[in-house]
Amino acid sequence: MINSIKQEQARKSQELQNQLSQCNNALENSEELLEFATRSLDIKEPEEFSKAARQIKDRVTMASAFRLSLKPKVSDNMTHLMVDFSQERKILQTLKFLPVPKAPEIDPVECLVADNAVTVAWRMPEEDNKIDHFILEYRKTNFDGLPRVKDERCWEIIDNIKGTEYTLSGLKFDSKYMNFRVRACNKAVAGEYSDPVTLETKALNFSLDNSSSHLNLRVEDTCVEWDPTGGKGQESKSKGKENKGSVHVTSLKKHTRSGTPSPKRTSTGSRPPAGRGSRDRFTGESYTVLGDTAIESGQHYWEVKAQKDCKSYSVGVAYKTLGKFDQLGKTNTSWCIHVNNWLQNTFAAKHNNKVKSLDVAVPERIGVFCDFDGGQLSFYDANSKQLLYSFKTKFTQPVLPGFMVWCGGLSLNTGMQVPSAVRTLQKSENGMTGSASSLNNITQ
């Protein structure tokens, strides 16, 4: 259409230009004829005057100016190029546009944080049957209250949620809080975000303290493996952890809230970390490594998985004062369950050098539940949540997660809440008695 209009405009402009040129030529000829006629008036001889008169008559008869029309050959009328939009106008007038959805409202009371899963529930401020789906966004943070404009983490997006509730499962709670917001979408557009909501997702997070490990153990964050070469190459890993404990203690003090205090990071005492040449926190046959987080209060849970070919390992807790030659469970400062797959298979609970054999199968993953205030240390099959054994005592000092491994390796899973099934079992177990010193109880 634009090309046709341009072509029509060019044609008409050329027609007018040609007509204008013809008029200019006629005007020039007329001016020349007028000059000739004026000069002829001065002729005195009759014959010459008659001759000039005949010439003037012939030129006037033949002059183009008398045959030209001053009316434009083309008009500015472009109606033949106009488009009739009346039908389209009627169609547009019958359209009903979808309104932009209003912002949903997240109900914190209906939201649930349990079993390392978060269920977020929301509602629309008024009924809107045009809603097609919702978009949920979340991010982890260590700041309470409203989300910050410049937070350290980006929003994660979950699209195409059909209901007004969604559950995020399998999360690792490695931050104190999570921010959530939601928006509604219809077939045309997404609405505004809801007011963000912050939910607490506090759990025990710790790593293995390389500076506290035996020289024959190779330690990396949440993994430990027996190393018969004597821990070569450990020097560089022990560096940089000197101030790890103090940094975490300071950080956690700043963010302490009411309720169960968070465990404090520690470097297992005031001793300086040692390099391979002088690292003697554990030696001899005490192939032990401790966690870098001291438990001083509250209820906490973590899980341990052993390599399939691991010959011997222990899982439990210990006081910071555990001796350098001490093995887990052989003193009154440590509690553990021990698995031995060397020569003969044994599965037992140990404390103060007393052993209680466990007549259950060794699970693939072991869950450890520590109730510091209640003086309880329980071990579970992490998959079925079957109770394997439970110590009942009174902790007089902060305890550290402890691990012993020989000819194999262990991997940890931290940042976990106490599972609901474990809480339920703990309530039923509270009616049963146990003694950590005599090891006279076992609950199946």
Side-chain angles (χ1 to χ4, degrees), residues 291-346:
D292 61 1
T293 301
I295 299 174
E296 299 183 355
S297 61
Q299 296 180 345
H300 306 283
Y301 180 85
W302 62 96
E303 294 181 353
V304 183
K305 182 177 181 180
Q307 295 178 354
K308 291 184 178 180
D309 58 349
C310 190
K311 300 298 183 185
S312 177
Y313 63 93
S314 298
V315 177
V317 298
Y319 291 151
K320 300 178 185 179
T321 56
L322 185 67
K324 62 188 293 184
F325 294 101
D326 295 338
Q327 298 181 21
L328 290 179
K330 290 194 174 184
T331 68
N332 61 356
T333 60
S334 62
W335 300 257
C336 73
I337 58 173
H338 176 73
V339 177
N340 180 33
N341 296 318
W342 177 248
L343 298 180
Q344 59 179 359
N345 296 331
T346 59

Short mmCIF file of all heavy atoms in Angstrom, two decimals, residues 291-346:
data_model
loop_
_atom_site.label_atom_id
_atom_site.label_comp_id
_atom_site.label_asym_id
_atom_site.label_seq_id
_atom_site.Cartn_x
_atom_site.Cartn_y
_atom_site.Cartn_z
N GLY A 291 33.79 -32.57 63.69
CA GLY A 291 33.13 -31.49 62.96
C GLY A 291 33.63 -30.15 63.45
O GLY A 291 34.18 -30.02 64.55
N ASP A 292 33.42 -29.12 62.64
CA ASP A 292 33.88 -27.79 63.02
C ASP A 292 32.79 -26.96 63.69
O ASP A 292 32.93 -25.76 63.84
CB ASP A 292 34.42 -27.03 61.80
CG ASP A 292 33.37 -26.83 60.73
OD1 ASP A 292 32.22 -27.26 60.94
OD2 ASP A 292 33.71 -26.25 59.69
N THR A 293 31.70 -27.60 64.08
CA THR A 293 30.58 -26.89 64.72
C THR A 293 30.29 -27.52 66.08
O THR A 293 30.01 -28.71 66.16
CB THR A 293 29.31 -26.96 63.85
OG1 THR A 293 29.59 -26.38 62.58
CG2 THR A 293 28.16 -26.21 64.51
N ALA A 294 30.36 -26.71 67.12
CA ALA A 294 30.04 -27.20 68.47
C ALA A 294 28.55 -27.07 68.72
O ALA A 294 27.94 -26.04 68.42
CB ALA A 294 30.82 -26.41 69.51
N ILE A 295 27.95 -28.13 69.24
CA ILE A 295 26.53 -28.12 69.59
C ILE A 295 26.42 -27.79 71.07
O ILE A 295 26.92 -28.52 71.92
CB ILE A 295 25.89 -29.48 69.28
CG1 ILE A 295 26.00 -29.78 67.78
CG2 ILE A 295 24.44 -29.50 69.74
CD1 ILE A 295 25.52 -31.17 67.41
N GLU A 296 25.77 -26.67 71.36
CA GLU A 296 25.64 -26.22 72.75
C GLU A 296 24.21 -26.24 73.25
O GLU A 296 23.98 -26.09 74.45
CB GLU A 296 26.21 -24.80 72.87
CG GLU A 296 27.68 -24.70 72.52
CD GLU A 296 28.23 -23.30 72.72
OE1 GLU A 296 27.42 -22.40 73.05
OE2 GLU A 296 29.43 -23.10 72.55
N SER A 297 23.25 -26.39 72.34
CA SER A 297 21.85 -26.42 72.74
C SER A 297 21.02 -26.87 71.55
O SER A 297 21.51 -26.97 70.43
CB SER A 297 21.38 -25.03 73.21
OG SER A 297 21.50 -24.11 72.16
N GLY A 298 19.74 -27.16 71.83
CA GLY A 298 18.81 -27.46 70.76
C GLY A 298 18.86 -28.90 70.27
O GLY A 298 19.62 -29.74 70.76
N GLN A 299 18.01 -29.17 69.26
CA GLN A 299 17.92 -30.48 68.63
C GLN A 299 18.46 -30.39 67.20
O GLN A 299 18.10 -29.46 66.46
CB GLN A 299 16.47 -30.97 68.62
CG GLN A 299 15.88 -31.19 70.00
CD GLN A 299 14.44 -31.67 69.95
OE1 GLN A 299 13.78 -31.60 68.91
NE2 GLN A 299 13.94 -32.20 71.06
N HIS A 300 19.29 -31.35 66.84
CA HIS A 300 19.94 -31.30 65.53
C HIS A 300 20.01 -32.70 64.92
O HIS A 300 19.94 -33.71 65.62
CB HIS A 300 21.35 -30.71 65.67
CG HIS A 300 21.37 -29.38 66.38
ND1 HIS A 300 21.01 -28.21 65.77
CD2 HIS A 300 21.68 -29.07 67.67
CE1 HIS A 300 21.11 -27.22 66.64
NE2 HIS A 300 21.51 -27.71 67.79
N TYR A 301 20.18 -32.71 63.59
CA TYR A 301 20.14 -33.97 62.86
C TYR A 301 21.09 -33.90 61.67
O TYR A 301 21.19 -32.87 60.99
CB TYR A 301 18.71 -34.25 62.39
CG TYR A 301 18.53 -35.54 61.61
CD1 TYR A 301 18.32 -36.74 62.26
CD2 TYR A 301 18.56 -35.53 60.22
CE1 TYR A 301 18.14 -37.93 61.54
CE2 TYR A 301 18.38 -36.71 59.50
CZ TYR A 301 18.17 -37.91 60.18
OH TYR A 301 17.99 -39.06 59.46
N TRP A 302 21.81 -34.97 61.41
CA TRP A 302 22.63 -35.09 60.22
C TRP A 302 22.72 -36.56 59.83
O TRP A 302 22.34 -37.45 60.60
CB TRP A 302 24.04 -34.49 60.42
CG TRP A 302 24.88 -35.13 61.49
CD1 TRP A 302 25.82 -36.10 61.35
CD2 TRP A 302 24.86 -34.82 62.90
NE1 TRP A 302 26.39 -36.41 62.55
CE2 TRP A 302 25.83 -35.65 63.52
CE3 TRP A 302 24.12 -33.93 63.70
CZ2 TRP A 302 26.07 -35.60 64.89
CZ3 TRP A 302 24.36 -33.89 65.06
CH2 TRP A 302 25.33 -34.72 65.64
N GLU A 303 23.19 -36.83 58.63
CA GLU A 303 23.25 -38.20 58.13
C GLU A 303 24.64 -38.53 57.61
O GLU A 303 25.38 -37.64 57.17
CB GLU A 303 22.22 -38.40 57.00
CG GLU A 303 20.78 -38.30 57.48
CD GLU A 303 19.76 -38.51 56.38
OE1 GLU A 303 20.16 -38.63 55.21
OE2 GLU A 303 18.57 -38.57 56.70
N VAL A 304 24.98 -39.81 57.70
CA VAL A 304 26.31 -40.29 57.30
C VAL A 304 26.13 -41.51 56.40
O VAL A 304 25.31 -42.38 56.69
CB VAL A 304 27.15 -40.66 58.54
CG1 VAL A 304 28.55 -41.08 58.11
CG2 VAL A 304 27.21 -39.51 59.53
N LYS A 305 26.93 -41.55 55.34
CA LYS A 305 26.92 -42.69 54.45
C LYS A 305 28.35 -43.18 54.28
O LYS A 305 29.26 -42.40 54.01
CB LYS A 305 26.34 -42.33 53.09
CG LYS A 305 26.26 -43.50 52.12
CD LYS A 305 25.60 -43.10 50.81
CE LYS A 305 25.50 -44.28 49.86
NZ LYS A 305 24.85 -43.92 48.58
N ALA A 306 28.55 -44.49 54.45
CA ALA A 306 29.88 -45.08 54.32
C ALA A 306 30.06 -45.66 52.93
O ALA A 306 29.10 -46.08 52.27
CB ALA A 306 30.08 -46.17 55.37
N GLN A 307 31.33 -45.67 52.48
CA GLN A 307 31.64 -46.35 51.23
C GLN A 307 31.36 -47.85 51.38
O GLN A 307 31.46 -48.41 52.47
CB GLN A 307 33.11 -46.13 50.86
CG GLN A 307 33.46 -44.69 50.55
CD GLN A 307 34.93 -44.51 50.23
OE1 GLN A 307 35.73 -45.45 50.35
NE2 GLN A 307 35.31 -43.31 49.84
N LYS A 308 31.01 -48.50 50.28
CA LYS A 308 30.61 -49.90 50.34
C LYS A 308 31.73 -50.80 50.85
O LYS A 308 31.48 -51.82 51.50
CB LYS A 308 30.15 -50.37 48.96
CG LYS A 308 28.84 -49.74 48.52
CD LYS A 308 28.37 -50.31 47.19
CE LYS A 308 27.03 -49.72 46.79
NZ LYS A 308 26.54 -50.26 45.50
N ASP A 309 32.97 -50.42 50.56
CA ASP A 309 34.09 -51.28 50.96
C ASP A 309 34.76 -50.80 52.24
O ASP A 309 35.88 -51.19 52.54
CB ASP A 309 35.12 -51.34 49.84
CG ASP A 309 35.65 -49.96 49.47
OD1 ASP A 309 35.05 -48.96 49.92
OD2 ASP A 309 36.65 -49.88 48.73
N CYS A 310 34.08 -49.95 53.00
CA CYS A 310 34.68 -49.42 54.23
C CYS A 310 34.80 -50.54 55.27
O CYS A 310 33.82 -51.21 55.60
CB CYS A 310 33.83 -48.28 54.77
SG CYS A 310 34.61 -47.37 56.12
N LYS A 311 36.01 -50.74 55.80
CA LYS A 311 36.25 -51.85 56.74
C LYS A 311 35.75 -51.55 58.14
O LYS A 311 35.21 -52.42 58.82
CB LYS A 311 37.74 -52.16 56.78
CG LYS A 311 38.35 -52.58 55.45
CD LYS A 311 37.74 -53.86 54.92
CE LYS A 311 38.41 -54.30 53.63
NZ LYS A 311 37.75 -55.49 53.05
N SER A 312 35.93 -50.29 58.57
CA SER A 312 35.56 -49.97 59.96
C SER A 312 35.29 -48.48 60.07
O SER A 312 36.06 -47.66 59.53
CB SER A 312 36.69 -50.38 60.91
OG SER A 312 36.38 -50.01 62.24
N TYR A 313 34.21 -48.13 60.78
CA TYR A 313 33.93 -46.71 60.99
C TYR A 313 33.02 -46.54 62.20
O TYR A 313 32.31 -47.47 62.61
CB TYR A 313 33.31 -46.07 59.75
CG TYR A 313 31.97 -46.62 59.35
CD1 TYR A 313 30.78 -46.06 59.79
CD2 TYR A 313 31.88 -47.71 58.47
CE1 TYR A 313 29.55 -46.56 59.40
CE2 TYR A 313 30.65 -48.22 58.07
CZ TYR A 313 29.48 -47.63 58.54
OH TYR A 313 28.26 -48.12 58.15
N SER A 314 33.07 -45.34 62.76
CA SER A 314 32.25 -44.98 63.91
C SER A 314 31.63 -43.62 63.65
O SER A 314 32.23 -42.75 63.01
CB SER A 314 33.07 -44.93 65.20
OG SER A 314 33.62 -46.19 65.51
N VAL A 315 30.42 -43.44 64.19
CA VAL A 315 29.69 -42.18 64.03
C VAL A 315 29.12 -41.80 65.39
O VAL A 315 28.50 -42.65 66.05
CB VAL A 315 28.55 -42.32 63.01
CG1 VAL A 315 27.76 -41.02 62.90
CG2 VAL A 315 29.09 -42.73 61.65
N GLY A 316 29.33 -40.56 65.82
CA GLY A 316 28.79 -40.15 67.10
C GLY A 316 29.13 -38.72 67.42
O GLY A 316 29.30 -37.88 66.53
N VAL A 317 29.26 -38.43 68.73
CA VAL A 317 29.64 -37.09 69.19
C VAL A 317 30.69 -37.25 70.29
O VAL A 317 30.83 -38.32 70.89
CB VAL A 317 28.43 -36.29 69.73
CG1 VAL A 317 27.39 -36.07 68.64
CG2 VAL A 317 27.81 -36.98 70.94
N ALA A 318 31.40 -36.14 70.52
CA ALA A 318 32.44 -36.17 71.56
C ALA A 318 32.63 -34.77 72.11
O ALA A 318 32.33 -33.77 71.45
CB ALA A 318 33.76 -36.69 70.98
N TYR A 319 33.12 -34.71 73.34
CA TYR A 319 33.54 -33.43 73.91
C TYR A 319 34.82 -32.98 73.22
O TYR A 319 35.57 -33.77 72.64
CB TYR A 319 33.78 -33.55 75.41
CG TYR A 319 32.54 -33.77 76.24
CD1 TYR A 319 32.59 -34.47 77.44
CD2 TYR A 319 31.30 -33.27 75.83
CE1 TYR A 319 31.46 -34.67 78.22
CE2 TYR A 319 30.16 -33.47 76.60
CZ TYR A 319 30.25 -34.17 77.79
OH TYR A 319 29.13 -34.36 78.54
N LYS A 320 35.09 -31.68 73.33
CA LYS A 320 36.33 -31.15 72.77
C LYS A 320 37.56 -31.75 73.44
O LYS A 320 38.64 -31.76 72.86
CB LYS A 320 36.37 -29.63 72.94
CG LYS A 320 35.24 -28.89 72.25
CD LYS A 320 35.35 -27.40 72.53
CE LYS A 320 34.18 -26.64 71.97
NZ LYS A 320 34.26 -25.19 72.27
N THR A 321 37.37 -32.23 74.65
CA THR A 321 38.50 -32.73 75.44
C THR A 321 38.90 -34.15 75.08
O THR A 321 39.74 -34.75 75.77
CB THR A 321 38.16 -32.66 76.93
OG1 THR A 321 36.94 -33.39 77.17
CG2 THR A 321 37.95 -31.22 77.38
N LEU A 322 38.31 -34.71 74.04
CA LEU A 322 38.66 -36.07 73.63
C LEU A 322 40.17 -36.16 73.38
O LEU A 322 40.74 -35.34 72.66
CB LEU A 322 37.90 -36.44 72.34
CG LEU A 322 38.08 -37.88 71.84
CD1 LEU A 322 37.45 -38.87 72.82
CD2 LEU A 322 37.45 -38.02 70.45
N GLY A 323 40.82 -37.13 74.01
CA GLY A 323 42.27 -37.24 73.94
C GLY A 323 42.78 -37.63 72.57
O GLY A 323 42.07 -38.21 71.75
N LYS A 324 44.05 -37.32 72.32
CA LYS A 324 44.64 -37.55 71.01
C LYS A 324 44.75 -39.03 70.66
O LYS A 324 44.73 -39.41 69.50
CB LYS A 324 46.01 -36.88 70.92
CG LYS A 324 47.03 -37.43 71.91
CD LYS A 324 48.31 -36.60 71.91
CE LYS A 324 49.05 -36.75 70.59
NZ LYS A 324 50.34 -36.04 70.61
N PHE A 325 44.88 -39.89 71.68
CA PHE A 325 44.95 -41.33 71.43
C PHE A 325 43.60 -42.01 71.59
O PHE A 325 43.47 -43.21 71.36
CB PHE A 325 45.96 -41.98 72.38
CG PHE A 325 47.38 -41.54 72.16
CD1 PHE A 325 47.95 -40.59 72.97
CD2 PHE A 325 48.13 -42.07 71.11
CE1 PHE A 325 49.26 -40.17 72.76
CE2 PHE A 325 49.43 -41.65 70.90
CZ PHE A 325 50.01 -40.69 71.73
N ASP A 326 42.58 -41.25 72.03
CA ASP A 326 41.28 -41.84 72.34
C ASP A 326 40.49 -42.16 71.08
O ASP A 326 40.47 -41.37 70.13
CB ASP A 326 40.45 -40.88 73.20
CG ASP A 326 41.08 -40.66 74.57
OD1 ASP A 326 41.87 -41.52 74.98
OD2 ASP A 326 40.79 -39.62 75.20
N GLN A 327 39.87 -43.33 71.10
CA GLN A 327 38.97 -43.70 70.03
C GLN A 327 37.53 -43.43 70.46
O GLN A 327 37.21 -43.50 71.66
CB GLN A 327 39.14 -45.17 69.66
CG GLN A 327 40.52 -45.53 69.15
CD GLN A 327 40.65 -46.99 68.79
OE1 GLN A 327 39.65 -47.67 68.54
NE2 GLN A 327 41.86 -47.50 68.75
N LEU A 328 36.68 -43.11 69.48
CA LEU A 328 35.28 -42.80 69.80
C LEU A 328 34.64 -43.98 70.54
O LEU A 328 34.78 -45.13 70.12
CB LEU A 328 34.49 -42.50 68.52
CG LEU A 328 34.81 -41.19 67.80
CD1 LEU A 328 33.95 -41.07 66.53
CD2 LEU A 328 34.59 -39.99 68.69
N GLY A 329 33.94 -43.66 71.62
CA GLY A 329 33.22 -44.67 72.38
C GLY A 329 34.04 -45.38 73.43
O GLY A 329 33.49 -46.13 74.24
N LYS A 330 35.36 -45.16 73.47
CA LYS A 330 36.20 -45.85 74.46
C LYS A 330 36.49 -44.99 75.68
O LYS A 330 37.25 -45.40 76.55
CB LYS A 330 37.50 -46.30 73.80
CG LYS A 330 37.29 -47.44 72.80
CD LYS A 330 38.58 -48.10 72.41
CE LYS A 330 38.33 -49.32 71.53
NZ LYS A 330 39.57 -50.05 71.20
N THR A 331 35.92 -43.78 75.73
CA THR A 331 36.07 -42.92 76.90
C THR A 331 34.71 -42.40 77.32
O THR A 331 33.70 -42.58 76.60
CB THR A 331 37.00 -41.73 76.59
OG1 THR A 331 36.33 -40.87 75.65
CG2 THR A 331 38.32 -42.18 76.00
N ASN A 332 34.67 -41.74 78.46
CA ASN A 332 33.39 -41.19 78.93
C ASN A 332 33.11 -39.82 78.31
O ASN A 332 32.17 -39.14 78.71
CB ASN A 332 33.39 -41.07 80.46
CG ASN A 332 34.49 -40.15 80.96
OD1 ASN A 332 35.31 -39.64 80.18
ND2 ASN A 332 34.53 -39.92 82.27
N THR A 333 33.94 -39.42 77.33
CA THR A 333 33.73 -38.13 76.66
C THR A 333 33.24 -38.30 75.23
O THR A 333 33.20 -37.34 74.47
CB THR A 333 35.04 -37.31 76.64
OG1 THR A 333 36.04 -38.05 75.94
CG2 THR A 333 35.51 -37.01 78.05
N SER A 334 32.85 -39.51 74.86
CA SER A 334 32.37 -39.73 73.49
C SER A 334 31.32 -40.83 73.48
O SER A 334 31.36 -41.76 74.30
CB SER A 334 33.53 -40.09 72.56
OG SER A 334 34.16 -41.29 72.96
N TRP A 335 30.40 -40.73 72.50
CA TRP A 335 29.32 -41.69 72.31
C TRP A 335 29.24 -41.98 70.82
O TRP A 335 29.32 -41.07 69.99
CB TRP A 335 27.97 -41.11 72.76
CG TRP A 335 27.91 -40.71 74.21
CD1 TRP A 335 27.30 -41.39 75.23
CD2 TRP A 335 28.45 -39.52 74.81
NE1 TRP A 335 27.43 -40.72 76.42
CE2 TRP A 335 28.13 -39.55 76.19
CE3 TRP A 335 29.18 -38.44 74.33
CZ2 TRP A 335 28.50 -38.55 77.08
CZ3 TRP A 335 29.56 -37.44 75.21
CH2 TRP A 335 29.22 -37.50 76.57
N CYS A 336 29.05 -43.23 70.46
CA CYS A 336 29.02 -43.54 69.03
C CYS A 336 28.39 -44.91 68.80
O CYS A 336 28.16 -45.69 69.74
CB CYS A 336 30.43 -43.53 68.44
SG CYS A 336 31.45 -44.95 68.93
N ILE A 337 28.11 -45.19 67.53
CA ILE A 337 27.85 -46.55 67.09
C ILE A 337 28.99 -46.91 66.13
O ILE A 337 29.48 -46.06 65.38
CB ILE A 337 26.47 -46.72 66.42
CG1 ILE A 337 26.31 -45.79 65.22
CG2 ILE A 337 25.36 -46.52 67.41
CD1 ILE A 337 25.03 -46.05 64.45
N HIS A 338 29.40 -48.17 66.20
CA HIS A 338 30.59 -48.61 65.48
C HIS A 338 30.22 -49.76 64.55
O HIS A 338 29.48 -50.68 64.92
CB HIS A 338 31.66 -49.06 66.48
CG HIS A 338 32.88 -49.64 65.81
ND1 HIS A 338 33.79 -48.87 65.15
CD2 HIS A 338 33.32 -50.92 65.72
CE1 HIS A 338 34.75 -49.64 64.67
NE2 HIS A 338 34.49 -50.89 65.00
N VAL A 339 30.74 -49.68 63.32
CA VAL A 339 30.53 -50.74 62.32
C VAL A 339 31.88 -51.33 61.96
O VAL A 339 32.82 -50.59 61.62
CB VAL A 339 29.84 -50.18 61.06
CG1 VAL A 339 29.68 -51.28 60.01
CG2 VAL A 339 28.49 -49.56 61.40
N ASN A 340 31.99 -52.65 62.07
CA ASN A 340 33.24 -53.33 61.75
C ASN A 340 32.96 -54.40 60.70
O ASN A 340 32.17 -55.32 60.92
CB ASN A 340 33.86 -53.96 62.99
CG ASN A 340 35.16 -54.68 62.67
OD1 ASN A 340 35.90 -54.26 61.78
ND2 ASN A 340 35.43 -55.76 63.38
N ASN A 341 33.59 -54.26 59.53
CA ASN A 341 33.44 -55.25 58.46
C ASN A 341 34.76 -55.98 58.20
O ASN A 341 34.94 -56.56 57.13
CB ASN A 341 32.98 -54.54 57.18
CG ASN A 341 31.61 -53.91 57.33
OD1 ASN A 341 30.71 -54.51 57.91
ND2 ASN A 341 31.45 -52.70 56.83
N TRP A 342 35.65 -55.94 59.18
CA TRP A 342 36.97 -56.54 59.02
C TRP A 342 37.01 -57.84 59.82
O TRP A 342 36.72 -57.86 61.01
CB TRP A 342 38.04 -55.57 59.49
CG TRP A 342 39.43 -56.09 59.45
CD1 TRP A 342 40.23 -56.36 60.52
CD2 TRP A 342 40.21 -56.41 58.31
NE1 TRP A 342 41.44 -56.82 60.14
CE2 TRP A 342 41.47 -56.86 58.76
CE3 TRP A 342 39.97 -56.37 56.93
CZ2 TRP A 342 42.46 -57.25 57.88
CZ3 TRP A 342 40.97 -56.76 56.07
CH2 TRP A 342 42.20 -57.19 56.55
N LEU A 343 37.36 -58.96 59.18
CA LEU A 343 37.44 -60.28 59.80
C LEU A 343 36.06 -60.77 60.22
O LEU A 343 35.57 -61.79 59.75
CB LEU A 343 38.40 -60.28 60.98
CG LEU A 343 39.87 -59.95 60.64
CD1 LEU A 343 40.73 -59.98 61.88
CD2 LEU A 343 40.40 -60.91 59.58
N GLN A 344 35.39 -60.05 61.11
CA GLN A 344 34.03 -60.41 61.49
C GLN A 344 33.17 -59.16 61.50
O GLN A 344 33.65 -58.07 61.79
CB GLN A 344 34.00 -61.08 62.87
CG GLN A 344 34.54 -60.22 64.00
CD GLN A 344 34.47 -60.92 65.33
OE1 GLN A 344 33.99 -62.04 65.41
NE2 GLN A 344 34.94 -60.26 66.39
N ASN A 345 31.91 -59.33 61.16
CA ASN A 345 31.00 -58.20 61.07
C ASN A 345 30.35 -57.93 62.42
O ASN A 345 29.71 -58.83 63.01
CB ASN A 345 29.91 -58.45 60.02
CG ASN A 345 30.49 -58.58 58.63
OD1 ASN A 345 31.53 -58.00 58.33
ND2 ASN A 345 29.81 -59.33 57.77
N THR A 346 30.51 -56.71 62.90
CA THR A 346 29.89 -56.32 64.17
C THR A 346 29.26 -54.94 64.00
O THR A 346 29.74 -54.11 63.25
CB THR A 346 30.91 -56.27 65.32
OG1 THR A 346 31.96 -55.33 64.99
CG2 THR A 346 31.52 -57.64 65.56
#
